[in-house]
Amino acid sequence: MSKRVLIVDDAAFMRMLLKDMVTKAGFEIVGEAINGKEAIEKYKELNPDVVAIDTIMPEMNGIEATKEIMKLNPNAKIIICSAMGQQMMVMEALQSGAKDFVVKPFRQDKITETLFKVMGGRQ
């Protein structure tokens, strides 16, 4: 059974790019969200195995959403997607419960490696 991923980014192009890479890594996309508030609602609704979430978004950023998702499920597997130069936000996200991070621009090998690492190895 493939692992289910929720993609969260306010940029449609980034969601499309990430969806393509996650699918190529053998994971199933179960949903998308465009901000942190929507991510929390989709998380409750879809119960994904992994959430890949952008740091900077309107309404609610990825760090705030990570904190809320971790309250819902302390075992949630969240991967932060950040741009170069956002080290402080990445550190805060990891301290808030995110399991790992990937840096934009995305690379297929890094996406695949991070997904399997967060899921506990190849399934």
Side-chain angles (χ1 to χ4, degrees):
M1 189 171 123
S2 66
K3 296 297 181 184
R4 305 164 67 249
V5 181
L6 172 64
I7 306 282
V8 186
D9 199 304
D10 57 321
F13 175 76
M14 294 311 283
R15 287 194 314 274
M16 184 180 72
L17 186 66
L18 197 51
K19 280 193 311 189
D20 183 54
M21 291 183 178
V22 168
T23 303
K24 282 181 181 167
F27 290 73
E28 175 190 358
I29 306 300
V30 292
E32 296 179 45
I34 60 169
N35 62 49
K37 283 187 179 189
E38 194 174 296
I40 294 163
E41 294 307 311
K42 295 272 186 174
Y43 186 85
K44 290 179 197 174
E45 173 190 336
L46 302 169
N47 193 30
D49 296 305
V50 181
V51 179
I53 189 166
D54 188 23
T55 46
I56 299 174
M57 297 177 290
E59 287 194 58
M60 180 185 279
N61 69 35
I63 295 167
E64 294 166 330
T66 295
K67 289 176 182 175
E68 292 302 313
I69 291 169
M70 294 308 292
K71 286 180 191 172
L72 295 170
N73 178 4
N75 298 314
K77 292 177 173 58
I78 300 173
I79 297 170
I80 293 293
C81 304
S82 75
M84 294 294 275
Q86 295 179 345
Q87 291 90 339
M88 292 303 292
M89 290 190 84
V90 168
M91 292 306 297
E92 187 177 351
L94 292 171
Q95 290 167 352
S96 298
K99 302 294 184 248
D100 210 336
F101 68 96
V102 290
V103 177
K104 298 174 185 177
F106 300 128
R107 289 187 3 235
Q108 182 67 56
D109 61 333
K110 186 63 178 162
I111 294 293
T112 302
E113 174 189 317
T114 303
L115 283 166
F116 281 110
K117 181 176 153 190
V118 166
M119 290 307 301
R122 295 217 174 250
Q123 305 295 313

